[in-house]
Amino acid sequence: METYKRLRDLREDADLTQKAVGALLNTTQQQYAKYELGVQEIPTRHLVTLANYYDVSVDYIVGRADWTDVQMYRFWKNRTEKEKQQIFHKLQAECEK
């Protein structure tokens, strides 16, 4: 049930109505309400759309990640390829000590 609570929490944190999220997903408010209530499974395509919209991972929405993971996801996502390589090499060097 954690998945459905996170759907509601993300929506409320963004000050959105179920109708607005339904429109974002090209579905009805009634259908979206079923996702939040856990009455119906949310399709993967909707999970991806919501993850992109809220700037979180699908893993966070489905309860496989916590808020710290979201912060790390956002940090990593906003790095250039060069920065990612530098961070990776520093971490690798630290792990080899």
Side-chain angles (χ1 to χ4, degrees), residues 2 4-14 36:
E2 184 67 25
Y4 309 111
K5 181 180 181 330
R6 287 194 175 169
L7 284 175
R8 187 190 70 235
D9 289 345
L10 286 165
R11 177 181 57 79
E12 289 176 349
D13 288 348
E36 278 193 10

Side-chain angles (χ1 to χ4, degrees), residues 68-82:
T68 304
D69 297 317
V70 170
Q71 292 168 314
M72 291 176 66
Y73 166 80
R74 288 176 177 166
F75 171 82
W76 190 254
K77 188 179 87 161
N78 292 319
R79 303 282 73 85
T80 66
E81 279 305 311
K82 184 177 179 179

Side-chain angles (χ1 to χ4, degrees), residues 9-36:
D9 289 345
L10 286 165
R11 177 181 57 79
E12 289 176 349
D13 288 348
D15 292 325
L16 296 172
T17 63
Q18 288 182 339
K19 184 175 182 177
V21 178
L24 173 72
L25 300 176
N26 200 26
T27 191
T28 65
Q29 176 273 326
Q30 293 84 358
Q31 182 61 48
Y32 179 75
K34 290 178 184 178
Y35 302 151
E36 278 193 10

Side-chain angles (χ1 to χ4, degrees), residues 44-94:
T44 303
R45 70 182 185 280
H46 290 338
L47 285 171
V48 171
T49 299
L50 292 173
N52 289 334
Y53 183 82
Y54 294 127
D55 196 24
V56 298
S57 65
V58 170
D59 279 347
Y60 178 74
I61 295 174
V62 300
R64 291 184 44 165
D66 61 23
W67 189 247
T68 304
D69 297 317
V70 170
Q71 292 168 314
M72 291 176 66
Y73 166 80
R74 288 176 177 166
F75 171 82
W76 190 254
K77 188 179 87 161
N78 292 319
R79 303 282 73 85
T80 66
E81 279 305 311
K82 184 177 179 179
E83 289 172 324
K84 288 177 183 178
Q85 287 294 325
Q86 290 171 338
I87 293 167
F88 176 77
H89 290 302
K90 285 180 185 178
L91 286 171
Q92 192 173 32
E94 279 297 313

